[in-house]
Coordinates of all heavy atoms in Angstrom, one line a residue:
T1618 N -11.6 -21.2 38.7 CA -12.6 -20.4 38.0 C -12.4 -18.9 37.9 O -12.8 -18.2 37.0 CB -14.1 -20.7 38.3 OG1 -14.1 -20.3 39.6 CG2 -14.4 -22.2 38.2
A1619 N -11.6 -18.5 38.9 CA -11.3 -16.9 39.0 C -10.2 -16.8 37.9 O -9.3 -17.5 37.7 CB -10.7 -16.8 40.4
L1620 N -10.3 -15.5 37.3 CA -9.3 -15.1 36.3 C -8.1 -14.7 37.0 O -8.2 -14.1 38.0 CB -10.0 -14.0 35.5 CG -11.2 -14.4 34.6 CD1 -11.7 -13.1 34.0 CD2 -10.8 -15.3 33.5
G1621 N -7.0 -15.0 36.4 CA -5.7 -14.5 36.8 C -5.4 -13.1 36.4 O -6.2 -12.6 35.6
T1622 N -4.2 -12.6 36.8 CA -3.9 -11.2 36.4 C -3.4 -11.3 35.0 O -2.7 -12.2 34.6 CB -2.6 -10.8 37.2 OG1 -2.9 -10.8 38.6 CG2 -2.0 -9.4 36.7
R1623 N -4.0 -10.4 34.2 CA -3.8 -10.4 32.7 C -2.9 -9.2 32.3 O -2.7 -8.4 33.0 CB -5.1 -10.2 32.0 CG -5.8 -8.8 32.3 CD -7.1 -8.8 31.7 NE -8.0 -7.5 32.0 CZ -7.8 -6.5 31.4 NH1 -7.1 -6.4 30.2 NH2 -8.5 -5.4 31.8
V1624 N -2.2 -9.7 31.2 CA -1.3 -8.6 30.5 C -2.1 -8.4 29.1 O -2.8 -9.4 28.5 CB 0.1 -9.0 30.3 CG1 0.7 -9.2 31.5 CG2 0.1 -10.2 29.4
E1625 N -1.9 -7.2 28.5 CA -2.5 -7.0 27.2 C -1.3 -6.8 26.2 O -0.5 -5.9 26.4 CB -3.4 -5.7 27.1 CG -4.0 -5.6 25.8 CD -5.0 -4.2 25.8 OE1 -4.8 -3.4 26.7 OE2 -5.8 -4.2 25.0
V1626 N -1.3 -7.6 25.2 CA -0.2 -7.4 24.1 C -0.9 -6.6 23.0 O -1.9 -7.1 22.4 CB 0.3 -8.7 23.7 CG1 1.4 -8.6 22.8 CG2 0.8 -9.7 24.9
K1627 N -0.3 -5.5 22.7 CA -1.0 -4.5 21.8 C -0.5 -4.7 20.4 O 0.6 -5.0 20.1 CB -0.6 -3.0 22.3 CG -1.2 -2.7 23.7 CD -2.7 -2.6 23.6 CE -3.0 -1.2 23.1 NZ -4.5 -0.9 23.2
N1628 N -1.4 -4.3 19.4 CA -1.2 -4.0 18.1 C -0.5 -5.0 17.3 O 0.6 -4.8 16.7 CB -0.5 -2.6 17.9 CG -1.3 -1.5 18.4 OD1 -2.6 -1.4 18.2 ND2 -0.6 -0.5 18.8
L1629 N -1.1 -6.3 17.5 CA -0.5 -7.4 16.8 C -0.9 -7.4 15.3 O -2.1 -7.4 15.1 CB -0.9 -8.8 17.4 CG -0.4 -8.8 19.0 CD1 -1.0 -10.0 19.6 CD2 1.1 -9.2 18.8
N1630 N 0.0 -7.5 14.4 CA -0.3 -7.0 13.0 C -0.3 -8.3 12.1 O -0.2 -8.2 10.8 CB 0.5 -6.0 12.5 CG 2.1 -6.4 12.4 OD1 2.3 -7.4 12.7 ND2 2.9 -5.5 11.9
S1631 N -0.4 -9.6 12.6 CA -0.5 -10.7 11.7 C -1.0 -11.8 12.6 O -0.8 -11.7 13.9 CB 0.9 -11.1 11.0 OG 1.7 -11.7 12.1
I1632 N -1.6 -12.7 11.9 CA -2.3 -13.9 12.7 C -1.0 -14.8 13.3 O -1.1 -15.3 14.5 CB -3.1 -14.8 11.7 CG1 -4.3 -14.0 11.4 CG2 -3.4 -16.0 12.4 CD1 -5.2 -14.7 10.3
R1633 N 0.1 -14.9 12.5 CA 1.1 -15.5 13.2 C 1.7 -15.0 14.4 O 2.0 -15.5 15.4 CB 2.4 -15.6 12.1 CG 3.6 -16.2 12.7 CD 4.9 -15.8 11.8 NE 6.1 -16.5 12.3 CZ 6.8 -15.8 13.3 NH1 6.3 -14.6 13.7 NH2 7.9 -16.4 13.8
N1634 N 1.7 -13.6 14.4 CA 2.2 -12.8 15.6 C 1.2 -12.9 16.9 O 1.7 -13.0 17.9 CB 2.4 -11.3 15.3 CG 3.6 -11.1 14.5 OD1 4.5 -12.1 14.2 ND2 3.9 -9.9 13.9
V1635 N -0.1 -13.0 16.5 CA -0.9 -13.2 17.6 C -0.6 -14.5 18.4 O -0.5 -14.7 19.6 CB -2.4 -13.2 17.1 CG1 -3.4 -13.7 18.2 CG2 -2.8 -11.8 16.6

Side-chain angles (χ1 to χ4, degrees):
T1618 56
L1620 295 175
T1622 302
R1623 64 186 171 92
V1624 300
E1625 182 178 27
V1626 187
K1627 297 286 286 185
N1628 293 330
L1629 297 164
N1630 63 357
S1631 75
I1632 294 176
R1633 174 193 177 277
N1634 287 353
V1635 170

